[in-house]
Amino acid sequence: MTAAIDVDARSIRRIALNHRLSRWDVRFSPYLYISPFFVLFALVGLFPLLYTAWVSVHDWNLIGGQGDFVGIDNYVTVLSQQYFWTSLRNTFSIFLFSSVPQVVLAMGIAAFLDYNLRAKTLWRMGVLLPYVVAPVAVALIFSNLFGDRFGLINEILGGVGIDAIRWHVDVIPSHLAIATMVNFRWTGYTTLIFLAAMQAVPRDYYEAAIIDGANRLRTFWSITVPLLRPVIIFVIITSTIGGLQIFDEPRMFDQAGQGGANRQWQTLTLYIYELGWGQRNFGRASAVAWLLFLVIILIAILNFAITRRIAGSTERRIRTKGKR
Amino acid sequence: MKKNRQAGGHDRRPGFWVYGILIAVLFGSAFPIWWSFLIGSQDAAAINQNGINWIPGGNFLANAATVIDTIPFWTALLNSIIVSTSVALSVVIFSTLAGYAFAKLKFRGREGLLIFVIATMAVPTQLGIVPLFIVMSRLGWTGSLWAVIAPAMVTAFGVFWMTQYLRDALPDELIEAVRMDGASMIGSFWYVGLPAARPAAAMLALFTFIATWTNFFWPFIVLDPGNPTLPVALQQLQAAYYVDYSLVLSGVVLSIIPLILVFIFLGKQLVAGIMQGAVKG
């Protein structure tokens, strides 16, 4: 009798324990699952970013480590140096040369891929091919194609009577060459993003427009482009974050890797590298990194403001069209 | 949808000129790669002649052998495989776990934390390279592959991607059912969450692998010249043979062969992945 009660008490206790364990399981497991991301991100993402601010207000040598607190001295020095402004200009210039033509080209190619093609996948794979070539390899190929003396591009230009362009000497040509590398690698990727958005456009819109007598070009401008605006903005935002940090292509454009003899194509990230690992001045390198971060944030906010307005107006337009 | 597409006048088969334009586009994306083979297969004398030799020379293997002797090619290849595979695996595992929690489990602070994850996607972690370098040298990891792998082990994009996917792909009833059958939380993840996540996880692995393989900036800073990844090794090739493009470009061809192979076998999935991500993003 007593034994039976004992057993019952034990099993009740066990059930209670199981119950409690299960409650803990439900309550804490989610945190356990998300914690690797947060712990690792805090260590290798967030902490370095904040610590950059700390380093930037100190004398800090690559070998010697932390020195005296110097306040905003590093920022003042960097902002007074000509190379900082040159690289800021170069970064924006290369970014514009790569993002504007890329969006236009990708839209056009996507419009053609949106036709009812035979062997769809093959064409799509074809435009994506450059995406698997590393930027370093792309840069090596194109710095040959853009060779100042015997480069293929200058040979072709010579063939149609244009003088050789000094791609590795002059400012704008070097930016164009570097932007071409970026465009080569990314246009196909962007094209597919646009294509996906185009295919989501309800086909009835086109049918209605065609019945109204619109041609292909007209439907592209009046239906496809307005509906794609949010996607265009998305592409611009992501390419801004990446584009302002460009390093691989300008680094590999010549052998010295400092962005040209007069820093014609030195970008901000190249400048950070030169300050930090060339001159071993981690303090100043961090100051530039933070300045670049502020520039990116500024542009992100600007983008965001524009996005909301444009996305809002597109929505309104489509809604009024629907009513009509 | 399918029926709708065929009904519209918009979806007639296009004329030949459309194919003509697309062939020109394809030429643009393939030509630079073909060009690097063209130059890489000739000897220095042949490419220094006036005019362009449009026929591949027979010198590719000899050039490749010189390249392999000059830079630590096999080490670099092996390193690239190790780094890209382990980063892809780790990103997929941690992203799937976190994505499962965000998509399907209820816990306090979920919304806030998810917004935080999405916000961090806009933070360029590259800008923290100075402190990251300080951390790695304190740990004694500079020069080792750990310094490349560790900072890449999680990505906000991965977490976001898996959360989005699992939200739609995995019905809540399924999780409740296995929970009723007595599975623990990790059990429900293992038996229901993971199988449901498989297609998106494969896609994420593929993209992470390519991104890691082609990455240059951080490995270039933190690795030793003798123990590089492929892009870092290629950079040394340029320093060694700046004027001899036949050697530089044969090295380029050698380095892009692995990913071209991946592309041939998985290009279709790659296309599908980009288009799927675009619609959701």
mmCIF file of all heavy atoms in Angstrom, chain B residues 81-98:
data_model
loop_
_atom_site.group_PDB
_atom_site.id
_atom_site.type_symbol
_atom_site.label_atom_id
_atom_site.label_comp_id
_atom_site.label_asym_id
_atom_site.label_seq_id
_atom_site.Cartn_x
_atom_site.Cartn_y
_atom_site.Cartn_z
ATOM 1 N N ILE B 81 38.317 26.677 -50.901
ATOM 2 C CA ILE B 81 37.305 25.634 -50.696
ATOM 3 C C ILE B 81 36.946 25.532 -49.209
ATOM 4 O O ILE B 81 35.763 25.515 -48.837
ATOM 5 C CB ILE B 81 37.799 24.276 -51.229
ATOM 6 C CG1 ILE B 81 37.914 24.333 -52.761
ATOM 7 C CG2 ILE B 81 36.863 23.149 -50.802
ATOM 8 C CD1 ILE B 81 38.580 23.121 -53.377
ATOM 9 N N ILE B 82 37.970 25.505 -48.351
ATOM 10 C CA ILE B 82 37.711 25.371 -46.905
ATOM 11 C C ILE B 82 36.902 26.562 -46.394
ATOM 12 O O ILE B 82 35.871 26.396 -45.742
ATOM 13 C CB ILE B 82 39.045 25.285 -46.126
ATOM 14 C CG1 ILE B 82 39.771 23.981 -46.447
ATOM 15 C CG2 ILE B 82 38.798 25.386 -44.619
ATOM 16 C CD1 ILE B 82 41.183 23.920 -45.884
ATOM 17 N N VAL B 83 37.362 27.757 -46.720
ATOM 18 C CA VAL B 83 36.707 28.964 -46.207
ATOM 19 C C VAL B 83 35.268 29.053 -46.708
ATOM 20 O O VAL B 83 34.330 29.213 -45.922
ATOM 21 C CB VAL B 83 37.504 30.223 -46.609
ATOM 22 C CG1 VAL B 83 36.703 31.487 -46.345
ATOM 23 C CG2 VAL B 83 38.823 30.284 -45.857
ATOM 24 N N SER B 84 35.082 28.899 -48.030
ATOM 25 C CA SER B 84 33.741 29.084 -48.585
ATOM 26 C C SER B 84 32.777 28.024 -48.070
ATOM 27 O O SER B 84 31.617 28.329 -47.763
ATOM 28 C CB SER B 84 33.778 29.041 -50.112
ATOM 29 O OG SER B 84 34.691 29.991 -50.593
ATOM 30 N N THR B 85 33.239 26.773 -47.975
ATOM 31 C CA THR B 85 32.361 25.711 -47.505
ATOM 32 C C THR B 85 31.978 25.924 -46.049
ATOM 33 O O THR B 85 30.797 25.834 -45.684
ATOM 34 C CB THR B 85 33.039 24.339 -47.662
ATOM 35 O OG1 THR B 85 33.547 24.221 -48.981
ATOM 36 C CG2 THR B 85 32.061 23.218 -47.386
ATOM 37 N N SER B 86 32.958 26.245 -45.207
ATOM 38 C CA SER B 86 32.607 26.358 -43.789
ATOM 39 C C SER B 86 31.758 27.591 -43.522
ATOM 40 O O SER B 86 30.841 27.531 -42.701
ATOM 41 C CB SER B 86 33.858 26.326 -42.902
ATOM 42 O OG SER B 86 34.855 27.141 -43.427
ATOM 43 N N VAL B 87 32.034 28.689 -44.232
ATOM 44 C CA VAL B 87 31.193 29.877 -44.050
ATOM 45 C C VAL B 87 29.762 29.592 -44.509
ATOM 46 O O VAL B 87 28.799 29.908 -43.809
ATOM 47 C CB VAL B 87 31.778 31.095 -44.808
ATOM 48 C CG1 VAL B 87 30.774 32.229 -44.884
ATOM 49 C CG2 VAL B 87 33.043 31.578 -44.124
ATOM 50 N N ALA B 88 29.629 28.933 -45.670
ATOM 51 C CA ALA B 88 28.289 28.630 -46.182
ATOM 52 C C ALA B 88 27.530 27.743 -45.197
ATOM 53 O O ALA B 88 26.362 27.992 -44.887
ATOM 54 C CB ALA B 88 28.372 27.971 -47.554
ATOM 55 N N LEU B 89 28.200 26.718 -44.678
ATOM 56 C CA LEU B 89 27.551 25.806 -43.722
ATOM 57 C C LEU B 89 27.108 26.557 -42.478
ATOM 58 O O LEU B 89 25.971 26.412 -42.029
ATOM 59 C CB LEU B 89 28.538 24.702 -43.318
ATOM 60 C CG LEU B 89 28.467 23.418 -44.113
ATOM 61 C CD1 LEU B 89 29.526 22.429 -43.622
ATOM 62 C CD2 LEU B 89 27.070 22.806 -43.970
ATOM 63 N N SER B 90 28.018 27.338 -41.922
ATOM 64 C CA SER B 90 27.712 28.007 -40.672
ATOM 65 C C SER B 90 26.592 29.035 -40.855
ATOM 66 O O SER B 90 25.678 29.109 -40.030
ATOM 67 C CB SER B 90 28.989 28.628 -40.112
ATOM 68 O OG SER B 90 28.798 29.946 -39.755
ATOM 69 N N VAL B 91 26.640 29.783 -41.954
ATOM 70 C CA VAL B 91 25.573 30.756 -42.206
ATOM 71 C C VAL B 91 24.225 30.048 -42.315
ATOM 72 O O VAL B 91 23.230 30.485 -41.741
ATOM 73 C CB VAL B 91 25.866 31.579 -43.486
ATOM 74 C CG1 VAL B 91 24.621 32.330 -43.945
ATOM 75 C CG2 VAL B 91 26.985 32.573 -43.230
ATOM 76 N N VAL B 92 24.211 28.926 -43.031
ATOM 77 C CA VAL B 92 22.951 28.214 -43.220
ATOM 78 C C VAL B 92 22.421 27.681 -41.887
ATOM 79 O O VAL B 92 21.240 27.842 -41.567
ATOM 80 C CB VAL B 92 23.125 27.069 -44.236
ATOM 81 C CG1 VAL B 92 21.970 26.089 -44.149
ATOM 82 C CG2 VAL B 92 23.223 27.641 -45.633
ATOM 83 N N ILE B 93 23.269 27.072 -41.085
ATOM 84 C CA ILE B 93 22.812 26.496 -39.815
ATOM 85 C C ILE B 93 22.268 27.582 -38.886
ATOM 86 O O ILE B 93 21.132 27.500 -38.406
ATOM 87 C CB ILE B 93 23.958 25.732 -39.123
ATOM 88 C CG1 ILE B 93 24.300 24.474 -39.921
ATOM 89 C CG2 ILE B 93 23.576 25.361 -37.694
ATOM 90 C CD1 ILE B 93 25.588 23.815 -39.507
ATOM 91 N N PHE B 94 23.068 28.629 -38.673
ATOM 92 C CA PHE B 94 22.639 29.664 -37.728
ATOM 93 C C PHE B 94 21.438 30.448 -38.256
ATOM 94 O O PHE B 94 20.563 30.839 -37.494
ATOM 95 C CB PHE B 94 23.801 30.601 -37.397
ATOM 96 C CG PHE B 94 24.873 29.938 -36.574
ATOM 97 C CD1 PHE B 94 26.220 30.185 -36.817
ATOM 98 C CD2 PHE B 94 24.537 29.045 -35.566
ATOM 99 C CE1 PHE B 94 27.209 29.570 -36.059
ATOM 100 C CE2 PHE B 94 25.515 28.423 -34.804
ATOM 101 C CZ PHE B 94 26.855 28.684 -35.053
ATOM 102 N N SER B 95 21.403 30.679 -39.585
ATOM 103 C CA SER B 95 20.282 31.429 -40.141
ATOM 104 C C SER B 95 18.998 30.627 -40.057
ATOM 105 O O SER B 95 17.925 31.179 -39.800
ATOM 106 C CB SER B 95 20.532 31.797 -41.605
ATOM 107 O OG SER B 95 21.689 32.572 -41.719
ATOM 108 N N THR B 96 19.086 29.311 -40.281
ATOM 109 C CA THR B 96 17.890 28.488 -40.226
ATOM 110 C C THR B 96 17.346 28.428 -38.797
ATOM 111 O O THR B 96 16.141 28.570 -38.573
ATOM 112 C CB THR B 96 18.180 27.070 -40.740
ATOM 113 O OG1 THR B 96 18.868 27.165 -41.981
ATOM 114 C CG2 THR B 96 16.910 26.282 -40.945
ATOM 115 N N LEU B 97 18.249 28.243 -37.842
ATOM 116 C CA LEU B 97 17.828 28.234 -36.435
ATOM 117 C C LEU B 97 17.129 29.545 -36.070
ATOM 118 O O LEU B 97 16.007 29.545 -35.551
ATOM 119 C CB LEU B 97 19.052 28.066 -35.535
ATOM 120 C CG LEU B 97 19.371 26.666 -35.022
ATOM 121 C CD1 LEU B 97 20.660 26.694 -34.232
ATOM 122 C CD2 LEU B 97 18.237 26.137 -34.163
ATOM 123 N N ALA B 98 17.798 30.660 -36.355
ATOM 124 C CA ALA B 98 17.236 31.953 -35.990
ATOM 125 C C ALA B 98 15.967 32.231 -36.787
ATOM 126 O O ALA B 98 14.975 32.733 -36.246
ATOM 127 C CB ALA B 98 18.253 33.064 -36.221
#
